[in-house]
Amino acid sequence: MQTLPLALTIAGSEATGGAGAQADLRTFQEHGVFGCVALTCIVSFDPQDGWNHRFVPVEAGVIADQLEVITSAYGPEQLDVVKLGMLGTPATITTVAGVLRERRFGHVVLDPVLICKGQEPGAALDTDNALQEHVLPLATFVTPNHFEALALSGMDAIGTVEELTEAARRIHERSGAAVLAKGGVHLRSNCDEAVDVYVDADRTEVLSAPRLGDGAQVAGAGCTLAAAVAARLARGETPFDAARAAKEFVSRGIEARLSSSAPYDVVWQGA
Ligand code: PXL
């Protein structure tokens, strides 16, 4: 018998394996963390249509069933960390938020996946609003990218490290969560550096790493980052240590990325 750290991901399937639950599980495994999944949706890119998202939600009752059995099998003393990836619809969001309010987790790591290409814009807006209203207040750790940081902070532009820091502070203030805001390719000054900003109640830190990927589009970095944070929290690290090490884990995964006939490379967590 083993005493293992456990983590749950509530996320979608991305069939090619680059993002979503597949990336989360590989990341958990690489950290020695036993993973379970409640699947929220199935995404199959359409190679006949510019690799746009084909998106099919899992029925809310089936999501509830998965969460019921997972939380029945593993009590709070054993499973205390959940990572939230693509939720995708208001119905999914209310179902998940209901379970999270009932069965409290010590750590709720939210990758606030707001926009899914190929979803109808009106439906996407309802989903964004539901996420902000029902899930953000339950999060203990949030990992917004550029667009998500704009939406969650209410700022008009994020083009400098100072603006990214302000966005992260605002998101921390409205949610109470630790925030790791990702600069991506959107910061004007730092072409050679991938800059992220970490903010919690006690500290504000700028995290910088050499930019990798040679300009290639690399999918799965956001999922991998949040999953690595969740895995490290499950192993007992502090949120800041988890953030710093998760960023390094993603850098290594981008360096070792996998290419295919798809128009994007994918992170390899096993580097
Ligand atoms: O990277 C965001 C993301 C998360 N989850 C699923 C996805 C994607 C992007 O395609 O398909 C299931």
PDB file of all heavy atoms in Angstrom, residues 11-15 19-22 40-45 53 83 85-86 111 113 115-116 148 219-223, ligand 1:
ATOM      1  N   ALA A  11     -11.765  18.989 -16.266  1.00  0.00           N
ATOM      2  CA  ALA A  11     -11.240  19.561 -17.509  1.00  0.00           C
ATOM      3  C   ALA A  11     -11.819  18.842 -18.706  1.00  0.00           C
ATOM      4  O   ALA A  11     -12.469  17.798 -18.582  1.00  0.00           O
ATOM      5  CB  ALA A  11      -9.710  19.444 -17.518  1.00  0.00           C
ATOM      6  N   GLY A  12     -11.541  19.399 -19.882  1.00  0.00           N
ATOM      7  CA  GLY A  12     -12.005  18.796 -21.121  1.00  0.00           C
ATOM      8  C   GLY A  12     -10.957  17.897 -21.731  1.00  0.00           C
ATOM      9  O   GLY A  12      -9.777  17.961 -21.389  1.00  0.00           O
ATOM     10  N   SER A  13     -11.414  17.044 -22.662  1.00  0.00           N
ATOM     11  CA  SER A  13     -10.485  16.256 -23.468  1.00  0.00           C
ATOM     12  C   SER A  13     -10.163  17.041 -24.729  1.00  0.00           C
ATOM     13  O   SER A  13     -11.066  17.567 -25.385  1.00  0.00           O
ATOM     14  CB  SER A  13     -11.136  14.927 -23.861  1.00  0.00           C
ATOM     15  OG  SER A  13     -10.418  14.330 -24.929  1.00  0.00           O
ATOM     16  N   GLU A  14      -8.885  17.121 -25.060  1.00  0.00           N
ATOM     17  CA  GLU A  14      -8.475  17.651 -26.375  1.00  0.00           C
ATOM     18  C   GLU A  14      -7.859  16.450 -27.063  1.00  0.00           C
ATOM     19  O   GLU A  14      -6.811  15.952 -26.639  1.00  0.00           O
ATOM     20  CB  GLU A  14      -7.511  18.819 -26.166  1.00  0.00           C
ATOM     21  CG  GLU A  14      -7.188  19.573 -27.454  1.00  0.00           C
ATOM     22  CD  GLU A  14      -6.086  18.906 -28.249  1.00  0.00           C
ATOM     23  OE1 GLU A  14      -4.912  19.143 -27.942  1.00  0.00           O
ATOM     24  OE2 GLU A  14      -6.408  18.115 -29.172  1.00  0.00           O
ATOM     25  N   ALA A  15      -8.534  15.976 -28.123  1.00  0.00           N
ATOM     26  CA  ALA A  15      -8.263  14.641 -28.634  1.00  0.00           C
ATOM     27  C   ALA A  15      -6.812  14.398 -29.021  1.00  0.00           C
ATOM     28  O   ALA A  15      -6.305  13.287 -28.827  1.00  0.00           O
ATOM     29  CB  ALA A  15      -9.180  14.349 -29.827  1.00  0.00           C
ATOM     30  N   ALA A  19      -3.533  19.407 -25.008  1.00  0.00           N
ATOM     31  CA  ALA A  19      -4.048  20.268 -23.939  1.00  0.00           C
ATOM     32  C   ALA A  19      -5.062  19.482 -23.104  1.00  0.00           C
ATOM     33  O   ALA A  19      -5.224  18.273 -23.273  1.00  0.00           O
ATOM     34  CB  ALA A  19      -4.692  21.517 -24.537  1.00  0.00           C
ATOM     35  N   GLY A  20      -5.699  20.181 -22.198  1.00  0.00           N
ATOM     36  CA  GLY A  20      -6.798  19.595 -21.439  1.00  0.00           C
ATOM     37  C   GLY A  20      -6.367  18.499 -20.487  1.00  0.00           C
ATOM     38  O   GLY A  20      -5.228  18.457 -20.003  1.00  0.00           O
ATOM     39  N   ALA A  21      -7.304  17.575 -20.230  1.00  0.00           N
ATOM     40  CA  ALA A  21      -7.115  16.547 -19.213  1.00  0.00           C
ATOM     41  C   ALA A  21      -5.883  15.674 -19.494  1.00  0.00           C
ATOM     42  O   ALA A  21      -5.194  15.241 -18.562  1.00  0.00           O
ATOM     43  CB  ALA A  21      -8.363  15.665 -19.137  1.00  0.00           C
ATOM     44  N   GLN A  22      -5.609  15.448 -20.800  1.00  0.00           N
ATOM     45  CA  GLN A  22      -4.457  14.611 -21.138  1.00  0.00           C
ATOM     46  C   GLN A  22      -3.154  15.266 -20.648  1.00  0.00           C
ATOM     47  O   GLN A  22      -2.285  14.601 -20.077  1.00  0.00           O
ATOM     48  CB  GLN A  22      -4.401  14.384 -22.666  1.00  0.00           C
ATOM     49  CG  GLN A  22      -5.525  13.504 -23.219  1.00  0.00           C
ATOM     50  CD  GLN A  22      -6.776  14.268 -23.624  1.00  0.00           C
ATOM     51  OE1 GLN A  22      -7.084  15.317 -23.065  1.00  0.00           O
ATOM     52  NE2 GLN A  22      -7.524  13.731 -24.575  1.00  0.00           N
ATOM     53  N   THR A  40     -15.321  17.377 -18.646  1.00  0.00           N
ATOM     54  CA  THR A  40     -16.378  18.381 -18.832  1.00  0.00           C
ATOM     55  C   THR A  40     -16.840  18.524 -20.271  1.00  0.00           C
ATOM     56  O   THR A  40     -17.945  18.995 -20.525  1.00  0.00           O
ATOM     57  CB  THR A  40     -15.860  19.763 -18.401  1.00  0.00           C
ATOM     58  OG1 THR A  40     -14.668  20.035 -19.152  1.00  0.00           O
ATOM     59  CG2 THR A  40     -15.570  19.805 -16.913  1.00  0.00           C
ATOM     60  N   CYS A  41     -15.955  18.188 -21.219  1.00  0.00           N
ATOM     61  CA  CYS A  41     -16.294  18.388 -22.636  1.00  0.00           C
ATOM     62  C   CYS A  41     -15.291  17.634 -23.493  1.00  0.00           C
ATOM     63  O   CYS A  41     -14.248  17.200 -22.992  1.00  0.00           O
ATOM     64  CB  CYS A  41     -16.261  19.876 -23.004  1.00  0.00           C
ATOM     65  SG  CYS A  41     -14.666  20.672 -22.749  1.00  0.00           S
ATOM     66  N   ILE A  42     -15.653  17.470 -24.741  1.00  0.00           N
ATOM     67  CA  ILE A  42     -14.746  16.832 -25.695  1.00  0.00           C
ATOM     68  C   ILE A  42     -14.478  17.817 -26.829  1.00  0.00           C
ATOM     69  O   ILE A  42     -15.416  18.259 -27.501  1.00  0.00           O
ATOM     70  CB  ILE A  42     -15.339  15.515 -26.236  1.00  0.00           C
ATOM     71  CG1 ILE A  42     -15.544  14.534 -25.073  1.00  0.00           C
ATOM     72  CG2 ILE A  42     -14.441  14.922 -27.315  1.00  0.00           C
ATOM     73  CD1 ILE A  42     -16.204  13.229 -25.461  1.00  0.00           C
ATOM     74  N   VAL A  43     -13.231  18.167 -27.012  1.00  0.00           N
ATOM     75  CA  VAL A  43     -12.818  19.071 -28.083  1.00  0.00           C
ATOM     76  C   VAL A  43     -12.098  18.248 -29.140  1.00  0.00           C
ATOM     77  O   VAL A  43     -11.150  17.530 -28.837  1.00  0.00           O
ATOM     78  CB  VAL A  43     -11.888  20.179 -27.538  1.00  0.00           C
ATOM     79  CG1 VAL A  43     -11.281  20.992 -28.676  1.00  0.00           C
ATOM     80  CG2 VAL A  43     -12.654  21.097 -26.578  1.00  0.00           C
ATOM     81  N   SER A  44     -12.610  18.327 -30.374  1.00  0.00           N
ATOM     82  CA  SER A  44     -11.918  17.719 -31.519  1.00  0.00           C
ATOM     83  C   SER A  44     -11.677  18.828 -32.526  1.00  0.00           C
ATOM     84  O   SER A  44     -12.628  19.322 -33.124  1.00  0.00           O
ATOM     85  CB  SER A  44     -12.795  16.655 -32.191  1.00  0.00           C
ATOM     86  OG  SER A  44     -13.523  15.911 -31.252  1.00  0.00           O
ATOM     87  N   PHE A  45     -10.446  19.239 -32.689  1.00  0.00           N
ATOM     88  CA  PHE A  45     -10.171  20.261 -33.704  1.00  0.00           C
ATOM     89  C   PHE A  45     -10.604  19.726 -35.059  1.00  0.00           C
ATOM     90  O   PHE A  45     -10.637  18.512 -35.274  1.00  0.00           O
ATOM     91  CB  PHE A  45      -8.678  20.607 -33.741  1.00  0.00           C
ATOM     92  CG  PHE A  45      -8.171  21.198 -32.454  1.00  0.00           C
ATOM     93  CD1 PHE A  45      -7.030  20.696 -31.857  1.00  0.00           C
ATOM     94  CD2 PHE A  45      -8.828  22.243 -31.846  1.00  0.00           C
ATOM     95  CE1 PHE A  45      -6.556  21.245 -30.671  1.00  0.00           C
ATOM     96  CE2 PHE A  45      -8.366  22.794 -30.665  1.00  0.00           C
ATOM     97  CZ  PHE A  45      -7.236  22.282 -30.071  1.00  0.00           C
ATOM     98  N   HIS A  53     -12.138  24.661 -33.216  1.00  0.00           N
ATOM     99  CA  HIS A  53     -12.650  23.757 -32.180  1.00  0.00           C
ATOM    100  C   HIS A  53     -14.015  23.197 -32.562  1.00  0.00           C
ATOM    101  O   HIS A  53     -14.921  23.958 -32.864  1.00  0.00           O
ATOM    102  CB  HIS A  53     -12.868  24.514 -30.858  1.00  0.00           C
ATOM    103  CG  HIS A  53     -11.620  24.851 -30.128  1.00  0.00           C
ATOM    104  ND1 HIS A  53     -10.552  25.429 -30.724  1.00  0.00           N
ATOM    105  CD2 HIS A  53     -11.296  24.688 -28.823  1.00  0.00           C
ATOM    106  CE1 HIS A  53      -9.602  25.620 -29.816  1.00  0.00           C
ATOM    107  NE2 HIS A  53     -10.023  25.186 -28.657  1.00  0.00           N
ATOM    108  N   LYS A  83      -7.832  20.982  -9.780  1.00  0.00           N
ATOM    109  CA  LYS A  83      -7.476  21.926 -10.843  1.00  0.00           C
ATOM    110  C   LYS A  83      -8.651  22.047 -11.789  1.00  0.00           C
ATOM    111  O   LYS A  83      -9.225  21.029 -12.202  1.00  0.00           O
ATOM    112  CB  LYS A  83      -6.248  21.414 -11.597  1.00  0.00           C
ATOM    113  CG  LYS A  83      -5.734  22.399 -12.624  1.00  0.00           C
ATOM    114  CD  LYS A  83      -5.517  21.798 -13.984  1.00  0.00           C
ATOM    115  CE  LYS A  83      -5.956  22.774 -15.054  1.00  0.00           C
ATOM    116  NZ  LYS A  83      -5.553  22.377 -16.404  1.00  0.00           N
ATOM    117  N   GLY A  85      -9.926  23.249 -15.448  1.00  0.00           N
ATOM    118  CA  GLY A  85      -9.546  23.676 -16.797  1.00  0.00           C
ATOM    119  C   GLY A  85     -10.782  24.125 -17.541  1.00  0.00           C
ATOM    120  O   GLY A  85     -11.625  24.840 -16.995  1.00  0.00           O
ATOM    121  N   MET A  86     -10.930  23.686 -18.799  1.00  0.00           N
ATOM    122  CA  MET A  86     -12.060  24.164 -19.591  1.00  0.00           C
ATOM    123  C   MET A  86     -13.375  23.618 -19.038  1.00  0.00           C
ATOM    124  O   MET A  86     -13.558  22.410 -18.930  1.00  0.00           O
ATOM    125  CB  MET A  86     -11.907  23.740 -21.055  1.00  0.00           C
ATOM    126  CG  MET A  86     -12.990  24.359 -21.937  1.00  0.00           C
ATOM    127  SD  MET A  86     -12.934  23.763 -23.622  1.00  0.00           S
ATOM    128  CE  MET A  86     -11.523  24.641 -24.233  1.00  0.00           C
ATOM    129  N   ASP A 111      -7.519  27.512 -13.938  1.00  0.00           N
ATOM    130  CA  ASP A 111      -7.019  28.013 -15.222  1.00  0.00           C
ATOM    131  C   ASP A 111      -8.261  28.560 -15.910  1.00  0.00           C
ATOM    132  O   ASP A 111      -9.071  27.785 -16.421  1.00  0.00           O
ATOM    133  CB  ASP A 111      -6.397  26.850 -16.014  1.00  0.00           C
ATOM    134  CG  ASP A 111      -5.787  27.313 -17.332  1.00  0.00           C
ATOM    135  OD1 ASP A 111      -5.620  28.531 -17.523  1.00  0.00           O
ATOM    136  OD2 ASP A 111      -5.489  26.453 -18.172  1.00  0.00           O
ATOM    137  N   VAL A 113     -10.032  29.268 -18.414  1.00  0.00           N
ATOM    138  CA  VAL A 113     -10.172  29.133 -19.868  1.00  0.00           C
ATOM    139  C   VAL A 113     -11.493  29.790 -20.271  1.00  0.00           C
ATOM    140  O   VAL A 113     -12.571  29.254 -19.999  1.00  0.00           O
ATOM    141  CB  VAL A 113     -10.172  27.641 -20.284  1.00  0.00           C
ATOM    142  CG1 VAL A 113     -10.291  27.511 -21.795  1.00  0.00           C
ATOM    143  CG2 VAL A 113      -8.921  26.935 -19.788  1.00  0.00           C
ATOM    144  N   ILE A 115     -12.280  31.543 -23.486  1.00  0.00           N
ATOM    145  CA  ILE A 115     -12.788  31.544 -24.853  1.00  0.00           C
ATOM    146  C   ILE A 115     -12.361  30.268 -25.555  1.00  0.00           C
ATOM    147  O   ILE A 115     -11.203  29.895 -25.517  1.00  0.00           O
ATOM    148  CB  ILE A 115     -12.246  32.758 -25.635  1.00  0.00           C
ATOM    149  CG1 ILE A 115     -12.675  34.048 -24.923  1.00  0.00           C
ATOM    150  CG2 ILE A 115     -12.742  32.754 -27.072  1.00  0.00           C
ATOM    151  CD1 ILE A 115     -11.724  35.186 -25.152  1.00  0.00           C
ATOM    152  N   CYS A 116     -13.307  29.600 -26.165  1.00  0.00           N
ATOM    153  CA  CYS A 116     -13.001  28.420 -26.960  1.00  0.00           C
ATOM    154  C   CYS A 116     -13.312  28.775 -28.398  1.00  0.00           C
ATOM    155  O   CYS A 116     -14.461  29.056 -28.735  1.00  0.00           O
ATOM    156  CB  CYS A 116     -13.855  27.246 -26.480  1.00  0.00           C
ATOM    157  SG  CYS A 116     -13.646  25.759 -27.434  1.00  0.00           S
ATOM    158  N   GLU A 148      -7.406  36.570 -20.524  1.00  0.00           N
ATOM    159  CA  GLU A 148      -8.147  36.294 -19.281  1.00  0.00           C
ATOM    160  C   GLU A 148      -7.835  37.351 -18.229  1.00  0.00           C
ATOM    161  O   GLU A 148      -8.715  37.766 -17.474  1.00  0.00           O
ATOM    162  CB  GLU A 148      -7.794  34.886 -18.798  1.00  0.00           C
ATOM    163  CG  GLU A 148      -8.274  33.809 -19.785  1.00  0.00           C
ATOM    164  CD  GLU A 148      -7.473  32.516 -19.751  1.00  0.00           C
ATOM    165  OE1 GLU A 148      -6.453  32.427 -19.032  1.00  0.00           O
ATOM    166  OE2 GLU A 148      -7.861  31.572 -20.486  1.00  0.00           O
ATOM    167  N   ALA A 219       0.928  24.463 -27.935  1.00  0.00           N
ATOM    168  CA  ALA A 219      -0.318  24.268 -27.197  1.00  0.00           C
ATOM    169  C   ALA A 219      -0.037  23.499 -25.907  1.00  0.00           C
ATOM    170  O   ALA A 219       0.932  22.742 -25.821  1.00  0.00           O
ATOM    171  CB  ALA A 219      -1.314  23.483 -28.054  1.00  0.00           C
ATOM    172  N   GLY A 220      -0.884  23.720 -24.939  1.00  0.00           N
ATOM    173  CA  GLY A 220      -0.812  22.941 -23.702  1.00  0.00           C
ATOM    174  C   GLY A 220       0.014  23.568 -22.602  1.00  0.00           C
ATOM    175  O   GLY A 220       0.088  23.025 -21.499  1.00  0.00           O
ATOM    176  N   ALA A 221       0.609  24.752 -22.883  1.00  0.00           N
ATOM    177  CA  ALA A 221       1.462  25.366 -21.859  1.00  0.00           C
ATOM    178  C   ALA A 221       0.617  25.845 -20.665  1.00  0.00           C
ATOM    179  O   ALA A 221       1.025  25.696 -19.512  1.00  0.00           O
ATOM    180  CB  ALA A 221       2.257  26.520 -22.460  1.00  0.00           C
ATOM    181  N   GLY A 222      -0.551  26.405 -20.963  1.00  0.00           N
ATOM    182  CA  GLY A 222      -1.406  26.917 -19.884  1.00  0.00           C
ATOM    183  C   GLY A 222      -1.927  25.804 -18.996  1.00  0.00           C
ATOM    184  O   GLY A 222      -1.910  25.905 -17.758  1.00  0.00           O
ATOM    185  N   CYS A 223      -2.375  24.714 -19.632  1.00  0.00           N
ATOM    186  CA  CYS A 223      -2.882  23.564 -18.864  1.00  0.00           C
ATOM    187  C   CYS A 223      -1.752  22.986 -18.011  1.00  0.00           C
ATOM    188  O   CYS A 223      -1.941  22.672 -16.834  1.00  0.00           O
ATOM    189  CB  CYS A 223      -3.393  22.471 -19.807  1.00  0.00           C
ATOM    190  SG  CYS A 223      -4.706  23.026 -20.901  1.00  0.00           S
TER     191      CYS A 223
HETATM  192  O1  PXL B   1      -5.499  25.306 -23.680  1.00  0.00           O
HETATM  193  C1  PXL B   1      -6.818  25.498 -23.377  1.00  0.00           C
HETATM  194  C2  PXL B   1      -7.620  24.245 -23.537  1.00  0.00           C
HETATM  195  C3  PXL B   1      -8.047  23.589 -22.400  1.00  0.00           C
HETATM  196  N1  PXL B   1      -8.791  22.477 -22.447  1.00  0.00           N
HETATM  197  C4  PXL B   1      -9.148  21.933 -23.632  1.00  0.00           C
HETATM  198  C5  PXL B   1      -8.744  22.537 -24.822  1.00  0.00           C
HETATM  199  C6  PXL B   1      -7.955  23.720 -24.779  1.00  0.00           C
HETATM  200  C7  PXL B   1      -7.516  24.359 -26.008  1.00  0.00           C
HETATM  201  O2  PXL B   1      -7.704  23.890 -27.075  1.00  0.00           O
HETATM  202  O3  PXL B   1      -9.108  21.996 -25.996  1.00  0.00           O
HETATM  203  C8  PXL B   1      -9.974  20.701 -23.639  1.00  0.00           C
END
